Amino acid sequence: MEDINQLKEPVTEKGDLSSPPLGEAGRESEVRAELIEELSKAGIDPALEEKLRLLEKRRITPETQIEKRRFLFRMFGKPCFPRGELVAITGKKKCGKTYLCSLLMTLCARREAMSMQRMEEEPLKALWIDTEQSEESTQEILTERITPMVMEGCENTTFPKEQYDVFNLRPDNWNERLPLIEMAARQSKPDLIILDGIRDVVNDINDIVMAQEVLERLMHIANDLGCCICCVLHQNKAAEDKTLRGALGTELGNKCFEEYECKKDAEHRIFQCQQVATRKYDIMEKFMFTIQDNGLPRLLSSMELSAFSEGNAEKNRTPTPQRTYNPEYVQKGEVNYAKAFNALLPEGTEMRACQLEQEFMELVGINNDKRYGFIGETSLKGRKLILLKPTTFMNLSGNAVRY
């Protein structure tokens, strides 16, 4: 750990205005001279020179030398969780967000876990900031979940405690937490930061100014240290509303590089995680896992996934409406047309064709068939043939076809 006094030293940032390398000194002098000349011609105070120099440093051209983005992990063969960026982990309450965070921290020590891999050969340093749970719960997750996941299959080795810095900031006030997080990050110099959760570093989740300040400070940390910061934030409480909560969530959604959503099927105790937004690599697959008796997650097998998907499809399938034909005119699937027309058209009665059609359908009960038509299936020359007889008027026959 660095000496605390060293934290007072200025951190070199991308926009540092210190002297340029010798090789660039000539070009810097030319730019400076050009700027002063332009300022003088425009009647602008040369005191703005420093700001213009900073602006010039921020210029991007096709020739600008920029370090290529590096990713910490790979999911289903796709790079994810980039250095220097924020990542959002979201979902409803108690839906597996902490399990996903535990998996990421496990990958810092293991090269592979569940459906993810660490991209770099060397182990990573993880900093976990827990603001939601009790100190006891934080310790339990560290010792009873992360440690066994890291040590699974490893014999004659000990848990690499030096790779993990874990802090519980729940006892602290909201306005004390962010400075502590910044201090911990500068001292630890991690590759991965888990902030669970970001909501607890603001007083008002709907304060847009505070949200912008918090996210800017976190982005500075990610950029300066070249680490990935995973910010855990709940979705809105409404079941169908999957947006991130408050103005803080809106800003996080705008600023983050990726967003991952966690869900839970409470009936089967199955969790699933899926990337729902990204600036680079789309990951369409989702990994699903269950929790074993020992409290550790286990990836579902292909057979279990298939059974779960079929069960959900059956559960969500719209039941076929039952026909409720008038038994007085329809028996064993056959319509007694003579009886029906005699009832509708007594001797000497006249009726327009369209009206007759409507009243016949109502009398027989065809209007109660919500499927909009009769369907028959057969095969012709080895190909499946579906026959549809709409029970609607001509101008509504599209309902039968769409159904």
Side-chain angles (χ1 to χ4, degrees):
M1 287 292 198
E2 293 181 327
D3 185 78
I4 277 252
N5 292 324
Q6 295 181 8
L7 296 175
K8 299 179 181 178
E9 297 297 325
V11 178
T12 301
E13 301 184 10
K14 185 178 178 181
D16 184 28
L17 300 180
S18 58
S19 300
L22 292 177
E24 300 178 7
R27 174 58 185 157
E28 288 288 336
S29 298
E30 292 177 11
V31 171
R32 185 171 184 273
E34 292 172 3
L35 289 173
I36 293 176
E37 183 178 355
E38 291 295 326
L39 288 171
S40 299
K41 289 180 180 179
I44 301 176
D45 186 354
L48 295 175
E49 177 196 351
E50 292 298 324
K51 292 183 179 179
L52 289 174
R53 286 183 61 202
L54 175 60
L55 181 61
E56 189 65 25
K57 283 178 174 290
R58 299 293 190 246
R59 185 186 298 277
I60 301 294
T61 70
E63 294 77 25
T64 303
Q65 297 297 315
I66 300 176
E67 183 180 359
K68 295 297 182 182
R69 183 179 291 110
R70 293 182 296 156
F71 293 83
L72 297 182
F73 308 119
R74 186 183 287 111
M75 181 187 296
F76 296 107
K78 300 288 186 65
C80 54
F81 295 90
R83 291 181 179 273
E85 298 282 358
L86 305 183
V87 172
I89 296 178
T90 182
K92 304 297 182 184
K93 63 179 182 179
K94 307 295 186 291
C95 65
K97 298 184 292 296
T98 305
Y99 277 104
L100 176 57
C101 294
S102 299
L103 172 60
L104 298 178
M105 288 187 280
T106 298
L107 287 166
C108 290
R110 293 184 66 95
R111 194 65 192 272
E112 183 173 355
M114 296 176 71
S115 61
M116 297 182 65
Q117 301 83 34
R118 188 179 74 238
M119 295 192 66
E120 299 178 14
E121 183 70 30
E122 293 298 319
L124 304 177
K125 183 74 177 289
L127 170 63
W128 176 21
I129 304 293
D130 191 349
T131 64
E132 290 191 346
Q133 304 178 101
S134 67
E135 295 177 339
E136 181 180 4
S137 295
T138 302
Q139 187 180 56
E140 286 178 352
I141 292 173
L142 178 62
T143 58
E144 299 177 14
R145 183 187 303 169
I146 297 175
T147 299
M149 290 174 67
V150 169
M151 301 304 297
E152 184 178 11
C154 299
E155 298 180 359
N156 302 321
T157 57
T158 58
F159 179 73
K161 293 186 292 184
E162 68 281 358
Q163 290 177 229
Y164 297 90
D165 282 328
V166 181
F167 298 95
N168 186 293
L169 303 186
R170 179 174 169 179
D172 302 289
N173 296 325
W174 68 269
N175 57 345
E176 298 173 325
R177 290 176 182 137
L178 188 54
L180 289 174
I181 293 170
E182 291 173 320
M183 180 180 294
R186 303 292 182 187
Q187 288 185 307
S188 181
K189 293 183 172 58
D191 302 289
L192 173 71
I193 298 178
I194 301 292
L195 176 50
D196 187 4
I198 189 174
R199 188 265 175 270
D200 296 318
V201 300
V202 298
N203 182 39
D204 181 359
I205 198 171
N206 289 308
D207 187 331
I208 186 65
V209 176
M210 186 177 293
Q212 290 174 335
E213 179 185 351
V214 166
L215 289 169
E216 285 180 3
R217 290 169 69 173
L218 291 176
M219 287 165 53
H220 279 304
I221 295 174
N223 184 67
D224 296 347
L225 301 180
C227 63
C228 177
I229 303 182
C230 295
C231 303
V232 179
L233 182 64
H234 290 210
Q235 294 174 342
N236 285 312
K237 294 181 179 180
E240 300 303 321
D241 189 352
K242 297 183 179 181
T243 55
L244 297 174
R245 195 174 289 180
L248 179 61
T250 300
E251 283 301 298
L252 178 58
N254 293 336
K255 298 293 194 302
C256 70
F257 187 90
E258 296 176 309
E259 180 181 337
Y260 291 86
E261 180 184 22
C262 300
K263 297 180 181 179
K264 177 183 179 181
D265 184 312
E267 180 180 354
H268 301 92
R269 196 166 171 73
I270 291 177
F271 299 84
Q272 68 178 40
C273 299
Q274 184 178 23
Q275 181 199 78
V276 294
T278 181
R279 298 185 189 275
K280 187 68 174 178
Y281 298 105
D282 288 307
I283 303 175
M284 307 307 295
E285 301 89 343
K286 53 188 174 185
F287 70 88
M288 304 176 68
F289 59 93
T290 186
I291 305 303
Q292 306 174 90
D293 293 338
N294 59 5
L296 300 181
R298 175 182 64 81
L299 204 62
L300 294 186
S301 66
S302 56
M303 185 177 297
E304 288 174 317
L305 285 174
S306 177
F308 178 74
S309 299
E310 290 177 4
N312 270 353
E314 181 65 29
K315 179 176 161 183
N316 296 326
R317 185 176 292 121
T318 302
T320 302
Q322 297 296 318
R323 298 177 180 177
T324 55
Y325 299 141
N326 189 336
E328 186 176 350
Y329 301 99
V330 181
Q331 295 181 352
K332 296 182 180 180
E334 296 292 332
V335 179
N336 189 331
Y337 290 97
K339 186 175 181 180
F341 280 105
N342 285 334
L344 290 170
L345 296 171
E347 188 175 350
T349 303
E350 294 183 1
M351 188 181 298
R352 293 176 63 87
C354 61
Q355 182 182 355
L356 177 63
E357 179 183 10
Q358 178 65 28
E359 294 198 11
F360 172 79
M361 293 171 66
E362 292 178 357
L363 177 68
V364 175
I366 293 177
N367 277 351
N368 292 329
D369 189 346
K370 301 302 182 182
R371 295 176 301 174
Y372 304 113
F374 299 102
I375 296 178
E377 296 184 8
T378 185
S379 59
L380 179 64
K381 295 183 179 180
R383 302 183 65 180
K384 186 177 181 180
L385 184 64
I386 300 177
L387 304 177
L388 169 65
K389 180 182 178 182
T391 58
T392 63
F393 289 113
M394 180 61 68
N395 61 341
L396 295 177
S397 59
N399 291 341
V401 176
R402 282 191 295 271
Y403 185 83

